[in-house]
């Protein structure tokens, strides 16, 4: 047996090698193509990216021609660098640096020397390209934004880096790829398929025809068009309302989960991230660590939800049977929940039941209900986990699974957290009662708040929020057509909705209503703290409002969050009302609200939060970005596209 083992291994190994050699040399001749690389030039034909439309068919993103100057280092001959640099408006330092990088990448392969020339720059260089052996022009297309809003929704395109080229065989150096927003999420659809041509070269490096009569050539295929769920007019209006304010607005169509508006403020003009100034502008936006215009607050900002969370507290208390619609708690303008600890309440006080507890936003009522819930079970740990399970059925405390590349989970605390924090203590409902009113360890993002409202509008179910309505030739992903049902029985939603309806009629949002539209909502004022030298410093409260409308057969659910905006009725409430009326009627009757919100500013409030040097930094960034937009406008005709006129929305002096 041992004697035959070695010969057997030799025979098997030799057989495998022969089979592989036969396959490579006779069956598959693609490696022959690579072996002849020195005599073959690969030329790519880049397709246009797919166009992007809003839910009503309005064109949002098209394409414009762009030209990259490519270089093959080994083919570069002596040239007049002064003339070359002057022609392209670059420095000699740039020339030297790019040539070094190109040689390191590969002396024989092409790499991008100067990206994204417009038509005027291309024409000037093309006229004298014969003088610059080793350089050639690769035509591509860049985005041409038809609107000056929605930057956080769209994302942008940029050049691939070495890591992407290494990990994804589709891309080669100089290719463009989507980053952030739909450009990243739907990259494989939008990019299309680039065509490839193999050209034979002679010993003088001249093209002499197609390799093997074009056997290996492929045609380019244009990217697929996308239809977004976004209502572009509503998106634009939301961004205008949020000028000189920080926060987010998320609006959802309840019956489908389609995102109608996704506003993050401050925002910026998407045209800033197109063309040769893209990298410089991106750096400016990225380095603004105060206003953070690249930070999508609608998806990433985790806030304490404040009083809107009382709706969830009430639903769970009803489901668990610790209260009913007639359960009464007495409020003495606050709630004493531990020795010397008192939670203030701004309701009218007295006997509070579920209905008026909602529309007056009584802290005492929902704190009492929460304590009864936690004390229902012998184990407080078990009770908290039951509470958390109900909340997670609303999509809270988890990534939501929407079709955008970024997001945060928020936080729904459980017994594991409290057993760790209160190790050895006999904690109970009073210990963690702040959760009842959305001020404890609970955190939610604006999109989670909006989805919670969509679930209320649907009386107990929701569809995963999504921003793409249709892809040409494709079926919408099944996960966006799957209904998610909460653990709360449908019958318990009606009394909560009744209370939310009266929030507008006689409660904390009285005076914010619109004649003829039945709106159900909830005000919110969330406490806001900042850690300074290890200490918690109280800042101005955040303004929150959530709503859906109409009450019956709802068409829109919305959450508005305005940082440092005082109470819910002051900023977030009016913005919510205006957004609802804009969507349902396409016009505004609350003109006084509109004027106040459009012209209103919290810039003085934000200035108090940061040292003067940071405000100077923001002013400097705004100035430089305005200059970039002026350059874009000036070259509008030369790039054969429409460039939006409005300036960046993070400007602290501009009015819409």
């Amino acid at each position: 047996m041992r004697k035959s083992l070695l010969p057997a291994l030799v025979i098997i190994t030799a057989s495998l090698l022969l089979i592989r050699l036969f396959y490579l040399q006779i069956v598959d001749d693609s490696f022959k193509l690579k072996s002849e690389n020195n005599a073959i030039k690969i030329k790519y034909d880049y397709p246009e990216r797919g166009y992007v439309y809003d839910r009503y068919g309005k064109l949002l993103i098209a394409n414009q021609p762009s030209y990259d100057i490519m270089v093959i280092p080994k083919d570069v001959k002596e040239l007049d660098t002064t003339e070359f640099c002057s022609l392209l408006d670059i420095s000699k330092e740039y020339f030297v640096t790019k040539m070094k990088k190109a040689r390191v990448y590969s002396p024989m392969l092409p790499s991008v020397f100067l990206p994204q020339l417009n038509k005027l720059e291309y024409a000037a260089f093309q006229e004298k390209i014969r003088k610059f052996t080793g350089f050639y022009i690769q035509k591509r297309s860049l985005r041409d934004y038809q609107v000056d809003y929605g930057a956080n929704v769209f994302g942008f395109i940029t050049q691939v880096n070495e890591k992407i080229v290494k990990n994804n065989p589709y891309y080669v150096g100089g290719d463009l790829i989507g980053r952030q927003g739909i450009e990243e999420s739907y990259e494989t659809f939008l990019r299309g398929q680039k065509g490839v041509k193999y050209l034979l070269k002679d010993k003088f490096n001249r093209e002499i025809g197609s390799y093997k009569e074009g056997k290996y050539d492929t045609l380019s295929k244009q990217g697929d068009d996308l239809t977004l769920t976004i209502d572009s007019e509503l998106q634009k209006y939301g961004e205008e309302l949020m000028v000189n304010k920080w926060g987010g607005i998320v609006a959802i169509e309840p019956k489908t989960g389609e995102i109608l508006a996704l506003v993050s403020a401050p925002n910026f003009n998407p045209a800033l991230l197109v063309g040769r100034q893209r990298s410089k502008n991106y750096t400016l936006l990225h380095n603004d660590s105060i206003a953070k215009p690249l930070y999508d607050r609608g998806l990433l900002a985790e806030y304490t939800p404040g009083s809107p969370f009382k709706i969830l507290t009430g639903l769970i208390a009803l489901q668990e049977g610790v209260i009913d619609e007639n359960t009464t708690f007495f409020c003495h303008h606050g709630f004493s929940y531990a020795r010397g600890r008192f939670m203030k309440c701004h309701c009218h006080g007295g006997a509070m039941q579920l209905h008026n507890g909602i529309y007056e936003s009584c802290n005492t009522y929902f704190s009492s209900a929460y304590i009864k819930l936690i004390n229902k079970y012998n184990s407080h740990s078990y009770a908290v986990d039951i509470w958390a399970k109900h909340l997670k059925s609303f999509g809270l405390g988890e990534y939501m699974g929407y079709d955008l590349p970024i997001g945060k989970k928020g936080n729904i605390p459980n017994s594991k957290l409290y057993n760790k924090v209160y190790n050895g203590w006999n904690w109970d409902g009073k210990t963690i009662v702040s959760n009842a009113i959305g001020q404890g360890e609970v955190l939610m993002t604006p999109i989670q708040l909006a989805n919670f409202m969509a679930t209320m509008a649907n009386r107990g179910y929701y569809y995963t929020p999504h921003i793409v309505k249709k892809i040409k030739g494709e079926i919408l992903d099944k996960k966006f057509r799957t209904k998610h049902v909460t653990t709360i029985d449908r019958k318990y939603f009606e009394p909560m909705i009744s209370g939310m309806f009266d929030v507008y009629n006689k409660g904390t949002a009285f005076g914010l209503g619109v004649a003829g539209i039945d709106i159900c909502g909830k005000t919110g004022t969330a406490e806001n703290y900042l850690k300074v030298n290890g200490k918690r410093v109280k800042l101005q409260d955040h303004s929150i409002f959530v709503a859906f409308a109409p009450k019956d057969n709802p068409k829109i659910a919305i959450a508005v969050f305005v940082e440092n905006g005082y109470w819910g009725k002051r900023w977030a409430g009016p913005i919510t009302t205006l957004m609802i009326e804009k969507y349902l009627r396409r016009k505004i009757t609350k003109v006084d609200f509109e004027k106040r919100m459009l012209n209103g500013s919290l810039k003085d409030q934000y200035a108090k939060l940061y040292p003067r040097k940071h405000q100077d930094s923001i002013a400097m960034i705004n100035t430089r970005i305005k200059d970039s937009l002026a350059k874009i406008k000036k070259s509008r005709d030369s790039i054969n596209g429409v460039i939006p006129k409005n300036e960046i929305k993070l400007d602290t002096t501009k009015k819409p």
Side-chain angles (χ1 to χ4, degrees):
M1 183 69 178
R2 290 182 179 179
K3 291 181 179 180
S4 60
L5 180 60
L6 183 59
L9 286 172
V10 172
I11 292 170
I12 291 170
T13 303
S15 299
L16 290 172
L17 286 171
L18 288 170
I19 292 169
R20 182 61 177 162
L21 285 170
F22 175 82
Y23 176 79
L24 292 176
Q25 294 186 12
I26 306 301
V27 179
D28 181 11
D29 60 355
S30 63
F31 283 86
K32 184 180 179 183
L33 179 64
K34 293 182 180 180
S35 71
E36 297 174 346
N37 189 52
N38 289 341
I40 296 171
K41 178 181 178 182
I42 299 175
K43 189 174 182 180
Y44 294 105
D45 180 21
Y46 289 92
E48 283 194 85
R49 287 178 78 85
Y51 283 45
V52 178
Y53 302 85
D54 86 340
R55 67 188 293 111
Y56 301 116
K58 178 180 178 179
L59 180 63
L60 303 176
I61 311 176
N63 298 300
Q64 56 181 303
S66 172
Y67 307 89
D68 290 353
I69 295 180
M70 312 292 291
V71 63
I72 303 175
K74 77 175 185 64
D75 295 340
V76 175
K77 309 298 182 186
E78 286 189 15
L79 71 154
D80 184 341
T81 54
T82 301
E83 181 185 15
F84 184 88
C85 293
S86 176
L87 186 63
L88 294 174
D89 191 24
I90 59 174
S91 66
K92 288 189 177 181
E93 289 76 17
Y94 179 92
F95 178 89
V96 172
T97 301
K98 293 299 289 187
M99 287 302 298
K100 282 182 180 178
K101 285 185 177 180
R103 289 191 187 96
V104 170
Y105 171 70
S106 172
M108 301 172 63
L109 295 177
S111 59
V112 177
F113 178 84
L114 185 63
Q116 303 181 7
L117 274 67
N118 61 39
K119 284 182 71 176
L120 198 62
E121 294 165 329
Y122 159 72
F125 185 74
Q126 179 72 6
E127 223 176 90
K128 298 187 178 183
I129 196 171
R130 66 187 183 281
K131 294 183 177 183
F132 311 120
T133 307
F135 294 89
Y136 69 94
I137 291 174
Q138 173 72 65
K139 184 179 178 181
R140 303 183 195 272
S141 66
L142 296 180
R143 283 315 207 181
D144 183 7
Y145 295 100
Q146 307 299 298
V147 296
D148 65 342
Y149 48 86
N152 62 308
V153 173
F154 302 148
F156 56 93
I157 57 174
T158 185
Q159 283 188 29
V160 294
N161 56 36
E162 291 180 12
K163 184 178 179 181
I164 293 172
V165 172
K166 182 179 178 181
N167 295 334
N168 192 325
Y170 175 83
Y171 299 101
V172 296
D175 280 4
L176 300 175
I177 191 171
R179 275 283 169 263
Q180 300 183 14
I182 58 165
E183 295 284 13
E184 180 173 336
S185 294
Y186 289 90
E187 162 69 9
T188 55
F189 295 101
L190 288 168
R191 75 186 181 193
Q193 187 70 33
K194 63 187 175 189
V196 183
K197 288 184 179 181
Y198 297 95
L199 303 171
L200 207 57
K201 299 183 292 184
D202 63 14
K203 63 181 180 179
F204 300 108
N205 204 34
R206 295 175 302 195
E207 295 177 13
I208 56 175
S210 295
Y211 176 75
K212 288 204 171 182
E213 299 179 345
K215 177 182 177 182
Y216 297 101
D217 294 353
T218 58
L219 296 174
S220 64
K221 178 181 177 293
Q222 184 171 349
D224 295 324
D225 295 343
L226 298 187
T227 298
L228 303 185
T229 61
I230 291 291
D231 176 342
S232 61
E233 289 304 309
L234 190 67
Q235 177 75 24
K236 177 184 179 183
Y237 191 54
E239 291 192 21
E240 289 172 346
L241 291 170
M242 290 296 288
V243 168
N244 290 325
K245 308 168 193 73
W246 297 356
I249 303 174
V250 184
I252 296 174
E253 184 179 68
K255 285 185 168 49
T256 61
E258 294 178 356
I259 299 173
L260 303 172
L262 180 61
V263 174
S264 177
N267 214 318
F268 59 94
N269 189 321
L272 285 170
L273 299 184
V274 177
R276 290 175 63 180
Q277 299 299 313
R278 186 203 67 79
S279 180
K280 185 186 294 184
N281 290 338
Y282 180 86
T283 301
L284 287 171
L285 294 168
H286 178 75
N287 288 342
D288 184 351
S289 60
I290 307 301
K292 299 180 181 179
L294 292 174
Y295 181 73
D296 193 327
R297 286 167 163 85
L299 303 178
L300 294 173
E302 297 171 299
Y303 303 104
T304 52
S307 291
F309 195 80
K310 293 172 183 174
I311 302 299
L312 289 163
T313 299
L315 284 171
I316 297 170
L318 287 169
Q319 180 69 33
E320 289 294 316
V322 296
I323 65 167
D324 59 31
E325 292 181 58
N326 299 314
T327 299
T328 303
F329 298 108
F330 284 87
C331 179
H332 302 285
H333 301 290
F335 179 65
S336 247
Y337 60 97
R339 182 179 296 177
R341 304 196 73 175
F342 187 75
M343 180 191 296
K344 290 182 180 180
C345 185
H346 299 287
C347 73
H348 293 113
M352 304 298 293
Q353 294 183 329
L354 181 63
H355 188 73
N356 62 337
I358 295 169
Y359 72 71
E360 290 194 33
S361 197
C362 178
N363 288 342
T364 298
Y365 187 91
F366 292 99
S367 296
S368 301
Y370 182 76
I371 289 170
K372 287 190 71 173
L373 169 66
I374 300 303
N375 293 341
K376 173 184 175 182
Y377 298 95
N378 292 330
S379 167
H380 297 141
S381 294
Y382 180 74
V384 166
D385 289 339
I386 291 292
W387 169 78
K389 182 180 178 181
H390 284 304
L391 292 172
K392 289 191 174 184
S393 74
F394 284 80
L396 304 179
E398 304 286 352
Y399 290 112
M400 298 197 68
Y402 46 71
D403 53 344
L404 285 165
I406 56 174
K408 289 289 184 70
K409 296 197 305 182
N411 186 54
I412 298 300
N414 56 23
S415 62
K416 184 178 179 181
L417 170 67
Y418 292 122
N419 287 332
K420 182 179 179 180
V421 172
Y422 299 109
N423 185 27
W425 289 19
N426 185 26
W427 59 272
D428 59 12
K430 289 184 178 181
T431 313
I432 56 174
V433 71
S434 293
N435 287 332
I437 60 170
Q439 286 289 172
E441 288 69 44
V442 176
L443 295 174
M444 293 172 67
T445 61
I447 194 170
Q448 288 177 326
L449 278 166
N451 189 62
F452 153 48
M453 274 299 100
T455 309
M456 293 299 300
N458 292 332
R459 278 68 170 173
Y461 71 88
Y462 69 91
Y463 289 94
T464 300
H466 51 284
I467 208 158
V468 168
K469 187 178 182 70
K470 183 173 63 176
I471 306 174
K472 187 177 180 181
E474 300 288 334
I475 298 174
L476 189 67
D477 194 312
K478 184 180 178 181
K479 73 176 181 178
F480 301 129
R481 295 179 281 119
T482 301
K483 182 187 289 189
H484 302 276
V485 181
T486 70
T487 56
I488 309 298
D489 295 340
R490 182 182 176 88
K491 63 183 179 181
Y492 295 125
F493 284 86
E494 291 304 331
M496 304 306 295
I497 289 170
S498 176
M500 291 172 66
F501 181 62
D502 276 342
V503 166
Y504 268 89
N505 292 327
K506 53 185 175 181
T508 54
F510 180 74
L512 295 184
V514 180
I517 301 179
D518 292 337
I519 306 177
C520 300
K522 184 72 190 75
T523 52
T525 304
E527 291 184 353
N528 177 28
Y529 293 90
L530 181 70
K531 276 193 175 182
V532 178
N533 298 325
K535 296 181 179 179
R536 292 178 80 207
V537 177
K538 179 75 168 65
L539 302 178
Q540 188 56 252
D541 294 339
H542 296 318
S543 176
I544 312 168
F545 206 97
V546 296
F548 67 85
K551 179 183 176 186
D552 300 314
N553 192 24
K555 299 291 193 302
I556 181 173
I558 187 169
V560 177
F561 206 107
V562 180
E563 293 183 13
N564 311 104
Y566 306 88
W567 55 91
K569 187 178 179 180
R570 182 162 181 174
W571 290 104
I575 290 173
T576 300
T577 297
L578 290 167
M579 290 287 286
I580 288 174
E581 186 177 23
K582 181 74 169 179
Y583 181 68
L584 295 179
R585 290 182 171 169
R586 317 309 289 179
K587 63 180 182 179
I588 296 297
T589 59
K590 306 284 284 189
V591 291
D592 55 332
F593 281 11
E594 182 178 59
K595 184 177 180 180
R596 183 160 61 89
M597 292 300 105
L598 289 175
N599 295 323
S601 172
L602 287 170
K603 64 180 181 179
D604 291 337
Q605 179 65 39
Y606 300 136
K608 295 176 185 177
L609 302 179
Y610 303 103
R612 182 71 247 167
K613 64 179 182 179
H614 290 310
Q615 294 303 312
D616 293 340
S617 173
I618 291 175
M620 179 194 71
I621 289 170
N622 284 330
T623 299
R624 292 176 68 180
I625 286 175
K626 284 180 182 179
D627 291 342
S628 288
L629 283 169
K631 288 179 181 177
I632 290 171
K633 184 178 180 181
K634 188 175 180 181
S635 63
R636 180 178 178 181
D637 294 336
S638 70
I639 59 175
N640 192 27
V642 178
I643 298 298
K645 298 177 181 178
N646 290 356
E647 294 181 335
I648 187 166
K649 296 284 194 332
L650 68 88
D651 179 19
T652 55
T653 59
K654 174 182 174 288
K655 298 291 191 298

